[in-house]
Amino acid sequence: MDVVSPELNSLLPDEIMDTEAIEDIPHSQPDGSMVQSEAGSDTSVPMETDTPMASENLSLLSDATLAEHTQVLTSPTDSTLTISTGSQLPLSISSTSSPLLTLKPSMATSTATTKTTDSVTGTTVSTGGLQKLTAPFTISAANHQIILNKVASSQATEAAKSAGTQPQVIKQEGQKLLVTAIGKSGQPILLQLPHTGGKPGISQTSGDTKSPAPQFKVVTIGGRPELKPVVGSTGNQVTTLQAQQLKTVQIAKKTPTSSAAPIKFIITKTVNSKGLNPQTSVSPVIAGRVLTQNSPVMPPRTVTLSEPHNTSIQSIPGKKIAISPLKTPSKVTVVSVASPTSNASQKSVALPVNVALGQQILAVQQSTSASPVKVATSQTTTQNIKPVQPVAVGGVSGSQFKTIIPLATQPNVQQIQVPGSRFHYVRLVGTTTASSTGQPSGPSTSSIQTAKPMVVSTGAVRMSVPIVPAQTMKQVVPKPLTSATVVTTTQTQQRLIMPATPLPQIQPNFTNLPPGTVLAPAPGGGNVGYAVVPAQYVTQLQQSPFVTLASSSGFPTSTGIQTQARSPLNGYCDCFANGEFCNNCNCNNCFNNLEHETERLKAIKTCLDRNPEAFKPKIGKGKEGESDRRHSKGCNCKRSGCLKNYCECYEAKIMCSSICKCIGCKNFEESPERKTLMHLADAAEVRVQQQTAAKTKLSSQISDLLMRTTPVISSGGGRLPYTFVTKEVLEATCECLLEQAKKAEQTHQPQAEAERMILEEFGHCLMRIISSAGKAKADCASINC
DNA sequence: GAGTTTGAAACT
DNA sequence: CAGTTTCAAACTC
């Protein structure tokens, strides 16, 4: 697979991925640049990403046999998980002994709390407020829910596929699968499966592949025919993600493996369903952090990002695979789910190579006690990586969330929205299933991953990812990804994840989708991308589609592009310029929404072609020795003197710098005009604060008075009858206050003094009211009334 | 709220 | 790169 060269990559904005290049990539390319590697061997794969992968174990696995992409993300803990696709990444995660598999995307209304404990024996996840269901159960995609079907065999999957349906199966019993963020109710779903038991400590090597896979639990989100999911580890327990720990991600070429694998939980997202092989495929993960949860006894398991070589986009030379969020980097977390059985000591997740800049894959690795597993996480990368913020479900945590929405169009997709967050959401769409066996083996890990095409379930899975506000973002210099490299990023800013789907393949048809509907990956399509959209965006799905693009080259004209004049898909729109979707703005015929993602992407590309810095923040850090903040381009003011908000420097409350081309600038340190303005502004602010404080205090006093005057005569307590605060009393009080105000005005008292006088008068009034009430109370008591 | 001013971005 | 046009926000009345 070819990746954009580092030089070229460096030219790309951190947040933008070049999706056009992806278009040209033949998905069915039998043998890309990536050579099928032997099991257990890693092959470095160049990756275009701005995500530094210095030392983490990130390996791309190419699996020739893998036909579909699967993306697996689960977040046992409060942290949310987001995986973006764009390439083929079979993902498999095996866990040790914990029987619980938890998918916990953040839900807007979810009140359930998840408690995850990491113990030697395994990871347990307790959730509250979760619906508990016994497997098998099905959540129909039509209902915008994840469909989990229990499939007896891969043939069933095949049959399902032939029937045009997307089989989604969870076939492991004795285990629990918690799926949250499914459905409209917002209630997490607990799938409880009979536990068949697995032997921990079974070697992960090839022996696993041949051994019958007693249990598979595969949850696939999104389908992608080209890629096959690789199921790595065995284990009866579902791994839980520990948000605070960083784990390793391996991207390595993967060789096809036999389907017979020990019990595994596979959560995958398939990009498309066209793949002949019924193997589950893992959609490519754009970027993310890998988090590993290791128990002291059990060796950590690694999450492997693998790319099947046949279909991997990345293998195509000269093609750009860029998945980058716009604007600010957000945390994209991938939560891996470990299988309960411990047969395989190591869990591996094969993921498509694409790693977006700044995005983070969160993978939880759960080590099994029996088999020691090497954690590929490197120290160097971990230090750069911020600990994953716990995922707040239902907006419990104050962190912001994003929803990654697979851009591939499919009716089944459910859009998920996290409440209380204006930031983006992650929409994961699961599609077709395919039985596949993969043996992603990372260099650092010796485990063999064999996934049997047991389950492919699709459905929109909402996962929330805490997002750090843009102000706190620290951008890391993007580095080309290579195999066995660690993906590290310190970027925490809000980011827009650009869809990895080739533009021509995007055929948005969302007009009829209700809010919360997730877009499903297009069958037979190539990459599935994810778009990060603001929470409010849900309402945009119902907007009428008009396309207005300055340039629509490369896009089908059927979309209606170019039919309209400019609309929010140009640089004039702040939302668009900020890399955000329009929301609640007054733009007409807005195309800056997910419905017109194709056009939007094209517009983004056009903007980037024109100005690579278009989506970068204007206010950046100045040179050394200069102030911390300065305008990246400088203003060009001519008439405002840079002392009005017309000036971007002034608006940003920074002074003009040497790069500004302004005329008559007064926005510099020693400028008296600036100082005067600042002084006035400060004075105004102080005044507002004082007034607010006074109002608050007065309101509090009134409130307190009313409370104390609550009629409690019968009780004989100290409260006074509030009935004394009659209309007449209020009017009299107000007259007293007005009179006091007039008095202050006549005597030309300053405002502060006038306020003091009024408040003082008000106090007198209150005292008189209280006194009267007290007398009335005493009189009433004396006559036993 | 309508009209004007302003400067960034797009365009040539 | 410079000049012009377009646009939306800031500003004024």
Side-chain angles (χ1 to χ4, degrees), chain A residues 93-99 172-175 195-202 214-217 233-239 261-265 298 301 338-347 366-368:
Chain A
I93 299 169
S94 65
S95 65
T96 59
S97 62
S98 68
Q172 182 59 44
E173 292 179 353
Q175 296 177 351
H195 178 70
T196 58
K199 292 180 180 179
I202 294 172
Q215 294 174 347
F216 277 96
K217 291 181 179 179
S233 65
T234 63
N236 291 333
Q237 293 176 344
V238 174
T239 61
I263 298 167
K264 297 175 182 179
F265 281 101
M298 299 170 134
R301 294 178 182 176
S339 65
T341 60
S342 63
N343 290 337
S345 62
Q346 180 179 2
K347 299 173 182 178
Q366 183 175 2
S367 63
T368 61

Side-chain angles (χ1 to χ4, degrees), chain A residues 12-331:
Chain A
L12 294 175
D14 294 343
E15 307 82 0
I16 300 300
M17 63 172 286
D18 184 359
T19 58
E20 184 179 11
I22 296 171
E23 296 175 357
D24 297 337
I25 296 169
H27 298 289
S28 62
Q29 183 177 0
D31 184 4
S33 62
M34 293 179 65
V35 176
Q36 181 178 1
S37 64
E38 294 179 356
S41 65
D42 289 341
T43 299
S44 64
V45 175
M47 295 177 67
E48 177 182 2
T49 179
D50 49 359
T51 300
M53 297 177 66
S55 59
E56 289 181 353
N57 291 334
L58 176 61
S59 64
L60 295 176
L61 298 176
S62 67
D63 184 359
T65 60
L66 294 178
E68 291 180 354
H69 244 49
T70 57
Q71 225 177 4
V72 176
L73 298 180
T74 61
S75 63
T77 62
D78 291 341
S79 63
T80 57
L81 160 60
T82 301
I83 295 172
S84 64
T85 63
S87 67
Q88 306 152 346
L89 290 180
L91 172 62
S92 66
I93 299 169
S94 65
S95 65
T96 59
S97 62
S98 68
L100 295 177
L101 172 59
T102 302
L103 294 175
K104 196 165 187 162
S106 65
M107 297 189 65
T109 59
S110 173
T111 58
T113 59
T114 299
K115 181 178 180 180
T116 300
T117 60
D118 185 4
S119 65
V120 174
T121 58
T123 300
T124 61
V125 175
S126 64
T127 61
L130 297 176
Q131 290 178 347
K132 192 171 185 177
L133 299 175
T134 60
F137 70 91
T138 298
I139 299 170
S140 65
N143 293 331
H144 308 295
Q145 294 176 345
I146 294 171
I147 297 172
L148 298 177
N149 293 326
K150 181 176 181 180
V151 176
S153 64
S154 63
Q155 291 79 9
T157 302
E158 291 294 333
K161 292 177 67 178
S162 63
T165 61
Q166 296 175 350
Q168 296 171 344
V169 176
I170 292 174
K171 179 183 181 178
Q172 182 59 44
E173 292 179 353
Q175 296 177 351
K176 295 177 181 178
L177 173 62
L178 297 177
V179 178
T180 61
I182 300 168
K184 298 177 182 178
S185 63
Q187 291 294 329
I189 297 170
L190 173 63
L191 298 176
Q192 184 173 3
L193 300 174
H195 178 70
T196 58
K199 292 180 180 179
I202 294 172
S203 64
Q204 298 170 342
T205 60
S206 63
D208 293 341
T209 60
K210 294 179 179 179
S211 66
Q215 294 174 347
F216 277 96
K217 291 181 179 179
V218 176
V219 176
T220 61
I221 300 168
R224 185 174 181 175
E226 303 137 354
L227 297 178
K228 292 179 181 179
V230 174
V231 176
S233 65
T234 63
N236 291 333
Q237 293 176 344
V238 174
T239 61
T240 61
L241 175 63
Q242 184 164 0
Q244 299 302 324
Q245 293 178 345
L246 175 66
K247 303 263 171 145
T248 63
V249 174
Q250 291 179 344
I251 298 171
K253 290 180 180 179
K254 176 180 69 176
T255 59
T257 60
S258 65
S259 63
I263 298 167
K264 297 175 182 179
F265 281 101
I266 299 171
I267 298 171
T268 63
K269 177 180 181 179
T270 60
V271 176
N272 56 23
S273 61
K274 73 180 180 180
L276 295 175
N277 291 334
Q279 295 175 346
T280 59
S281 64
V282 175
S283 62
V285 173
I286 294 171
R289 292 179 181 175
V290 175
L291 296 179
T292 61
Q293 179 177 2
N294 295 331
S295 62
V297 175
M298 299 170 134
R301 294 178 182 176
T302 61
V303 175
T304 300
L305 295 176
S306 67
E307 179 181 6
H309 73 282
N310 288 339
T311 60
S312 68
I313 294 169
Q314 295 174 344
S315 64
I316 297 169
K319 299 301 180 183
K320 295 179 181 179
I321 298 171
I323 300 170
S324 65
L326 289 177
K327 206 171 180 176
T328 61
S330 63
K331 291 180 180 177

